[in-house]
Amino acid sequence: MGPIRGNKKKRKIELKDDIENVLASGSSEEGTIDWWDEFSKRIAGSVSPSKGIDQFESVFKVSRKTFNYICSLVTDPMMAKSSNFLFLNGKSMSIKDQVALALRRLSSGDSLIGVANFFGTNHSTVSQVTWRFVEAIEEHGLHHLQWPSKEDEIAQIKSKFENMRGLPNCCGAIDSTHIVMLLSASDRSVDVWLDRKDNHSMILQAIVDPDMRFRDIVTGWPGKMDDASVLQKSTFYELAQKHERLNGTKLNLAEGTDLQEYIVGDSAFPLLPWLITPYQGRDLPETKSEFNKRHFATRLVAQRALARLKDVWKMIQGVMWRPDKHRLPRVILACCILHNIVIDMDDDVFDELTLNLTRQHDLGYRPEVCEIADKNASLSREKLALYLSGRLPG
């Protein structure tokens, strides 16, 4: 599956209008409270609220307002098909029941049978409803995961990154994580998925903005591939190499020294004119050492975004039992879209769930080192390091 790209002051206004229009056409907060009152009676004692958030948010990892928005977003595509999903007591599932079931499946990390028991239905219904939800959120929610296309939106992103630790003209931070799978020994492709930690896994590579929002992702590639190879297979790489991405306003650092737009990544990625990586080695000079500190603090946002993604949407956090490898990339995409929706909705749950968040999303994986370094990129990084230290000749 290729990267999802696309199209926040102006975009935020447009997106806010879209959200308000969808909410206006959908169910009310009062309706959700009534639905939840009835639903919560069926699950009484099944869950304990997380500290600081109520039971609804603990169960579904979103607020009622965000839940309403998601329901309104997926109602048409989910209800367009004729299947009538039922509880074990024979009662038909409403759209809220179906969305609740799918969110619980994606966020709890519980098995199909566990979610089925929680809702009072059978495991095949859980599977079918979840997949229908994944298709619907991809079809109607993809506008929440786009590369910024407006100049003022890019300018705002650059400003926020620079305010972190001073890196100017930065447009994103890139990182990768492994979605671990338990595969059947009879699977002929099993060795392809074996990664450097001897896990079978699928890679998710993401470019993140300063608000931990995913701006571009690529997933579906086997864990055997390294980060640089996955990047080079992506459409983002192709566009950037052809100067069709990260091709906006250059920043003048000093006379005769311009800095193009770029993203930051760790040493697993190649050093390119549009992708700046840290200096390698120990006992670095002060200028390079200080640059690495700033660089690390800036790219930390990508690590935190991936950590939060896995921590909230736990279906992709643990070891997945023999997943459908053709469907898994779309499940991962759906989780990334939901992650962004929570941010775009200014959902308080996002802040509550990130209070004690670590940046660990790939525990036990050894750091990779890519030796590819573009000469012009090396020179640009050198000048940027001097600029940050105040030592770049004017």
Side-chain angles (χ1 to χ4, degrees), residues 40-168:
S40 60
K41 292 174 184 176
R42 302 203 304 266
I43 63 166
S46 298
V47 293
S48 299
S50 300
K51 184 177 179 180
I53 56 179
D54 70 15
Q55 192 179 35
F56 183 97
E57 295 164 349
S58 180
V59 171
F60 302 121
K61 301 300 188 291
V62 298
S63 68
R64 288 170 173 80
K65 179 182 177 182
T66 300
F67 181 85
N68 281 339
Y69 173 68
I70 292 171
C71 286
S72 300
L73 205 60
V74 302
T75 293
D76 288 345
M78 288 189 72
M79 302 302 285
K81 298 180 181 178
S82 58
S83 299
N84 184 26
F85 297 111
L86 305 173
F87 292 105
L88 292 178
N89 62 9
K91 181 183 177 182
S92 294
M93 287 187 178
S94 67
I95 186 63
K96 284 189 172 67
D97 292 326
Q98 294 179 45
V99 171
L101 184 152
L103 290 177
R104 182 66 182 176
R105 169 66 171 146
L106 294 172
S107 66
S108 68
D110 293 342
S111 66
L112 288 171
I113 293 176
V115 176
N117 291 339
F118 183 85
F119 276 83
T121 187
N122 60 67
H123 72 277
S124 62
T125 297
V126 174
S127 178
Q128 293 174 58
V129 170
T130 302
W131 180 244
R132 183 167 294 187
F133 175 82
V134 165
E135 291 181 312
I137 203 71
E138 179 183 358
E139 180 182 353
H140 284 248
L142 199 53
H143 59 285
H144 285 277
L145 202 165
Q146 296 182 329
W147 187 256
S149 60
K150 308 294 184 182
E151 288 187 13
D152 53 355
E153 187 180 3
I154 284 284
Q156 187 179 39
I157 288 173
K158 292 178 185 178
S159 176
K160 287 184 177 181
F161 270 122
E162 187 166 7
N163 288 338
M164 286 182 177
R165 286 303 298 273
L167 291 186

Side-chain angles (χ1 to χ4, degrees), residues 23 26-38 56 64-65 67-68 96:
L23 284 172
S27 52
S28 65
E29 183 102 357
E30 182 179 352
T32 300
I33 293 174
D34 293 341
W35 170 85
W36 170 247
D37 286 344
E38 179 185 347
F56 183 97
R64 288 170 173 80
K65 179 182 177 182
F67 181 85
N68 281 339
K96 284 189 172 67

Side-chain angles (χ1 to χ4, degrees), residues 181-195 198-201 222-224 325:
M181 308 176 289
L182 184 62
L183 303 182
S184 169
S186 62
D187 188 334
R188 294 182 179 180
S189 65
V190 68
D191 289 342
V192 174
W193 302 93
L194 197 64
D195 62 33
D198 293 329
N199 290 325
H200 294 108
S201 66
K224 192 171 186 176
K325 296 188 292 295

